[in-house]
Amino acid sequence: MNRREHIDLTQVPGLSPAVVQPMQICLVGAGGGIGQQLAKTLAVRHKVAAVYRRPPAGALKGVHIVQFDDKIGLTEAVGAAEVVVHAALNAKARGRQFIPANQATTEQLLALISPERCKLFVYFSSQVVYAALDPKEHPVQAEDADLAGTKRLDAYTRLKLTEEARVIAACRDKGINYLIVRPTMVMGPGMAWSSGIVDAMRMAPIGLKNRTINLIHVADLAGQLLALIERGVANEVVNLGDLDVRSDDYFRHAAGLAQRPILLAPDWLGKFGGRFIPSTLWFLGHDVQVSSDKVKALSGVETGRTLADFFEPPARVVDARSLDDIRDTVRSGKPYHAIGRGYFLWFNDRKQTDQLVMEHYSGVIGLADNALTVKAGTTLRAMLGHLVPRGLTFATLPEFVDISAGACFFAEVHGSSAEHISMYDLITSIRYVDETGEEKVSLRDDAVWDRLRGEGGIVVTEVTFACRPSRLLANTIEWQKESRLEDYVAGEYRVNFSTTVHWYPRSHELMVYNVNPVDGPEPGDRRPFPPMRGSPHWIQKLLLNLRMRGRQRIVGSSERVLAPWTGVPAKQLLGKFFRDTRRRVRNMEVCVSDTHAVDFIAKLRRHLPEMQLMPGQGIGVRFTRDPASDRGFVWVEMTSRDASQMHAMVEMARAACGEQFWLHRGKYVPNGIDVEHLYIPRHVSPK
């Protein structure tokens, strides 16, 4: 439902879309804000090996990931590169270790390059080096100024001054071309001087006046560097900059986005405070200009941006209550993402694009021939409220039912079922608004729908689900030794209609739910109740002991057994907890096919000690199946405040399955995960 992000180099003014000979580029420091954009831009035309200190969960297409600490991998990546871009900074090194730690990184890279392969070494310096100049003698600071490290300079400034000289000397000794680039104030989504300054203004809307600031958007910076490399610019020092703005306008605009009145410090206070501003922020202490004439001449990149273009525009929240509201958003030309009802926002950071909120575009349209048609914002809870009095229900259900119909099309909203993979398999037709704003009808066609789910760009407006007569189900809860997990993963789950396992590795126990149809209740059966699945081990044992009281089974209607939270409006309370806790709580679910599940679980078990699970922390394991294609899927779920545990699970899935793994897109999705990993294709069988 989101607009797909891509890099269109024809949209960078002045950057020629002409065909160029692909080069092998090694980008060191790909994990930073600038590095991430460089990887996207460079990879459009060239082969990129991206070096990270901590590799991401996924990578851009065509980008080879290398870990900095992997000496062999780093040596190979640098040795094979025609261009090496050094944009790394070890910010974790503190105090006296900061300069030596970062110099060691540079020396390591300089030792690996050789003139036989490397034609250009690009070093990312910074405009902070101009803090070494006298602002009165150099009111306009250009690349030809002779920098002498006088006056008091902080560690970052001294590092950049020293490293520039070292890189130039080392490259000359080896006969390798160099390019020193000095970014000015880098702006763009998530960057400190754009998003960060707006956040700061919400707390303290104070700014300086009578200063000149040169801005560069991170996308334009990447475009400038790409053009410099492709044009063969070498043995130069170049400022990467764009637009001069007055500090009055800059801070006033940021405060406006924060919706706070700005307080501009008087001149006397600005001059007094300028004495205490560190050299990294020297441009706020003096009214100086950093020239960007040279980069514009050498790269040919002219952007034409205005001040507002450097900031993220405030996201609009459009409450879709009519088809016209949806069409207007789609036709606006602005990036947007549609939000139904679910828990994606519980576990992921909020996006900055416009939001098309579908929650109130809801209601039952009709029920005919056991097929229920609803508007896309209608929740499963509301649909069950319409079906149950009529003796109908759904063949499979998730544990929580405050999820909208539209979300069921894009996400694998699943329970545990030997008959269906997810609610998506119950959908027989949809209505949707395409990218032109036209509403269309589509009957089920797996090939067409796989494309619609993968490409996005549509807003689903109506969904029709197949229903079935209600029936009774019995849930038998058992505690078993954790050694039984492999038996279930290997296929034992198939003997039940539904199997769910909650694994407590540190307690070496499994809590197993086996659900099957029954003709009726028997003496001693317990009525359904919310099981608090996911609770710490000792709490779960206590709750079950109190609630079961010796009973063996939980028996009730299928929707009460499969979705035990149907009668409990817990969504708002849980949502607030997951969103607003001091350290963001993440919940991620990895899905692998039967053919890879045993290997994945073995890897997970082997790496659990280093993942450092908390006492009582559990791992959920669910099983779904598509009998028509004889495909089974194992879903492994974890909730944690430590996102590195989630990333480790993704890497284990990739190691066990190659690219044949998926993440539940309604839960935590790490950066770098391609859309192909967010839905299980139905028109072809994954290998």
Side-chain angles (χ1 to χ4, degrees), residues 70-145:
D70 178 2
K71 292 184 178 180
I72 296 176
L74 180 65
T75 300
E76 292 176 349
V78 175
E82 299 167 77
V83 178
V84 176
V85 180
H86 177 11
L89 181 72
N90 185 354
K92 291 185 178 181
R94 304 284 183 177
R96 295 180 178 179
Q97 295 303 313
F98 177 77
I99 291 179
N102 281 283
Q103 287 178 328
T105 298
T106 303
E107 291 300 329
Q108 187 174 355
L109 297 176
L110 291 173
L112 293 175
I113 59 175
S114 65
E116 286 76 22
R117 182 63 178 173
C118 182
K119 307 304 179 188
L120 180 68
F121 187 88
V122 181
Y123 177 74
F124 263 78
S125 183
S126 168
Q127 66 169 357
V128 302
V129 297
Y130 295 121
L133 298 177
D134 186 322
K136 293 182 180 179
E137 295 181 8
H138 299 273
V140 178
Q141 302 182 335
E143 297 90 338
D144 57 357

Side-chain angles (χ1 to χ4, degrees), residues 7-12 14-25 38-48 61-63 82 222-231 299 301:
I7 305 297
D8 185 355
L9 297 180
T10 64
Q11 299 303 309
V12 179
L15 185 56
S16 170
V19 176
V20 295
Q21 187 68 29
M23 290 180 279
Q24 185 73 42
I25 299 177
L38 288 173
K40 292 178 183 178
T41 301
L42 297 174
V44 173
R45 293 181 178 175
H46 304 283
K47 299 176 182 178
V48 175
K61 286 186 177 179
V63 173
E82 299 167 77
Q224 287 178 343
L225 181 62
L226 175 63
L228 293 173
I229 292 173
E230 291 182 348
R231 290 185 171 201
S299 70
V301 176

Side-chain angles (χ1 to χ4, degrees), residues 21-323:
Q21 187 68 29
M23 290 180 279
Q24 185 73 42
I25 299 177
C26 179
L27 169 62
V28 185
I34 293 176
Q36 291 177 43
Q37 182 64 53
L38 288 173
K40 292 178 183 178
T41 301
L42 297 174
V44 173
R45 293 181 178 175
H46 304 283
K47 299 176 182 178
V48 175
V51 181
Y52 300 81
R53 289 195 181 275
R54 182 175 178 177
L60 295 166
K61 286 186 177 179
V63 173
H64 174 59
I65 289 181
V66 179
Q67 188 164 356
F68 183 80
D69 292 336
D70 178 2
K71 292 184 178 180
I72 296 176
L74 180 65
T75 300
E76 292 176 349
V78 175
E82 299 167 77
V83 178
V84 176
V85 180
H86 177 11
L89 181 72
N90 185 354
K92 291 185 178 181
R94 304 284 183 177
R96 295 180 178 179
Q97 295 303 313
F98 177 77
I99 291 179
N102 281 283
Q103 287 178 328
T105 298
T106 303
E107 291 300 329
Q108 187 174 355
L109 297 176
L110 291 173
L112 293 175
I113 59 175
S114 65
E116 286 76 22
R117 182 63 178 173
C118 182
K119 307 304 179 188
L120 180 68
F121 187 88
V122 181
Y123 177 74
F124 263 78
S125 183
S126 168
Q127 66 169 357
V128 302
V129 297
Y130 295 121
L133 298 177
D134 186 322
K136 293 182 180 179
E137 295 181 8
H138 299 273
V140 178
Q141 302 182 335
E143 297 90 338
D144 57 357
D146 182 17
L147 301 177
T150 59
K151 306 192 318 181
R152 58 183 183 86
L153 302 175
D154 59 27
Y156 181 70
T157 306
R158 286 186 281 117
L159 172 71
K160 292 304 178 183
L161 282 167
T162 304
E163 292 281 81
E164 282 192 11
R166 172 61 185 145
V167 167
I168 292 172
C171 287
R172 284 175 175 169
D173 287 345
K174 290 195 170 191
I176 296 173
N177 292 325
Y178 65 85
L179 180 63
I180 307 294
V181 292
R182 299 169 177 166
T184 58
M185 204 157 85
V186 184
M187 307 282 285
M191 305 299 288
W193 289 109
S194 44
S195 302
I197 199 68
V198 173
D199 290 339
M201 285 292 161
R202 294 189 177 99
M203 297 182 289
I206 302 172
L208 296 173
K209 57 183 180 179
N210 298 325
R211 303 287 188 269
T212 302
I213 304 174
N214 186 281
L215 310 179
I216 178 67
H217 194 283
V218 67
D220 300 332
L221 176 150
Q224 287 178 343
L225 181 62
L226 175 63
L228 293 173
I229 292 173
E230 291 182 348
R231 290 185 171 201
V233 176
N235 303 322
E236 295 277 6
V237 178
V238 181
N239 295 332
L240 300 183
D242 184 16
L243 180 69
D244 282 334
V245 299
R246 297 303 293 169
S247 59
D248 316 46
D249 298 327
Y250 170 82
F251 287 109
R252 188 175 288 111
H253 188 86
L257 292 176
Q259 298 182 327
R260 297 293 302 275
I262 184 68
L263 173 63
L264 293 174
D267 286 339
W268 68 267
L269 183 59
K271 290 179 180 179
F272 177 77
R275 303 175 184 177
F276 305 99
I277 292 177
S279 58
T280 300
L281 302 175
W282 106 102
F283 55 90
L284 295 178
H286 310 280
D287 186 23
V288 295
Q289 292 178 260
V290 177
S291 174
S292 56
D293 294 340
K294 186 174 182 179
V295 71
K296 292 174 182 177
L298 291 175
S299 70
V301 176
E302 292 278 356
T303 67
R305 290 185 188 266
T306 63
L307 174 60
D309 297 328
F310 290 89
F311 290 88
E312 295 175 82
R316 296 184 308 146
V317 178
V318 180
D319 191 359
R321 293 180 181 270
S322 69
L323 190 58

